Amino acid sequence: ETAQDALCGVVAQGDNGEDGACRTMRKARNNQHSEDTFKSWCLSIGITKDSAYRLLQVSALMDGSSPRQRAILEALPPTLLYAVAKPSAPAELVEKVKNGEVSTNKEYQDLLAQIKAEKERADAAEAERDKLLGAQNRAAWAESHIQDVEAQRDAALADVQGLTEQNAKLKERADSAEAREEEAWKMQSKAEARAKNAEG
């Protein structure tokens, strides 16, 4: 509203008539064709649409400021004021400007670059951490998989050893049975030999 009033004030100073232009601007906010309507209105008062949006952003910044902060903001160079009024401006920097700690666009841009660089470093560190966590998760999975494979191998070896032992016992029994059979044959042969002697 304040920016609209300010912009309407610009119109009042011109020859286009305040009421019609302000109504156009207010209607434009809720209209499907608002961009074109707003752009036409801006051109009719001699400013660009981008300039009008910057003024609206400055108005929103002023609305959210105390009287002391407004006084500080009004004394700023326009480039700094527009930069601080952007919706993307970091809240911490906006507060520093509002409190008079930053008073030039160069200071603001330097601090903005530092914040961006810190954010990029933090993002890079987080990406690296995510990579490391991913690698650790893959290593843990591989370790778990290796342990599963080793457990399966050990079970298979135990099965083989059990089968070997069973096979040895079966072979021992078979050898024993063969020895008894051989003994039985010997005894039968002796018995036959005695039976022949007895007949004779």
Side-chain angles (χ1 to χ4, degrees), residues 8-9 11-12 16-27 41:
C8 290
V11 174
N16 295 329
E18 177 182 358
D19 292 339
C22 289
R23 275 196 303 269
T24 302
M25 183 176 175
R26 286 189 176 97
K27 283 181 188 174
W41 179 83

Side-chain angles (χ1 to χ4, degrees), residues 117-158:
E118 286 169 13
K119 185 180 182 322
E120 286 171 6
R121 278 194 299 272
D123 289 346
E126 190 173 335
E128 190 62 30
R129 181 187 59 96
D130 289 347
K131 267 200 247 178
L132 285 172
L133 283 174
Q136 286 174 341
N137 289 340
R138 286 191 299 276
W141 178 86
E143 180 67 28
S144 172
H145 188 63
I146 288 168
Q147 288 173 354
D148 289 345
V149 169
E150 286 176 346
Q152 290 170 0
R153 182 204 62 199
D154 292 347
L157 285 173

Side-chain angles (χ1 to χ4, degrees), residues 4 17 30 38 41-42 50 62 69-70 74-77 79-80 86 97 111 114 128-129 135-136 151 168 172 181 196:
Q4 288 175 357
N30 300 319
F38 185 63
W41 179 83
C42 290
D50 291 342
M62 294 289 187
Q69 290 173 331
R70 281 186 195 156
E74 286 171 3
L76 294 177
T79 52
L80 176 55
K86 286 182 182 177
V97 172
L111 289 171
Q114 284 177 13
E128 190 62 30
R129 181 187 59 96
Q136 286 174 341
E172 193 177 299
E181 185 184 358
K196 276 188 184 179

Side-chain angles (χ1 to χ4, degrees), residues 2-13:
T2 306
Q4 288 175 357
D5 293 343
L7 289 173
C8 290
V10 171
V11 174
Q13 293 170 9

Side-chain angles (χ1 to χ4, degrees), residues 72-73 75-81 84 93 96-109 111:
I72 291 170
L73 291 171
L76 294 177
T79 52
L80 176 55
L81 186 59
V84 174
L93 281 185
K96 285 186 180 213
V97 172
K98 281 183 172 186
N99 294 328
E101 297 172 49
V102 176
S103 59
T104 68
N105 192 42
K106 180 176 179 356
E107 286 177 283
Y108 177 83
Q109 294 302 328
L111 289 171

Side-chain angles (χ1 to χ4, degrees), residues 37-82:
T37 305
F38 185 63
K39 185 176 178 184
S40 297
W41 179 83
C42 290
L43 291 174
S44 76
I45 62 168
I47 63 171
T48 66
K49 182 183 71 162
D50 291 342
S51 295
Y53 279 127
R54 282 197 300 271
L55 289 171
L56 288 168
Q57 291 168 352
V58 167
S59 175
L61 178 67
M62 294 289 187
D63 286 346
S65 302
S66 70
R68 179 183 167 276
Q69 290 173 331
R70 281 186 195 156
I72 291 170
L73 291 171
E74 286 171 3
L76 294 177
T79 52
L80 176 55
L81 186 59
Y82 291 145

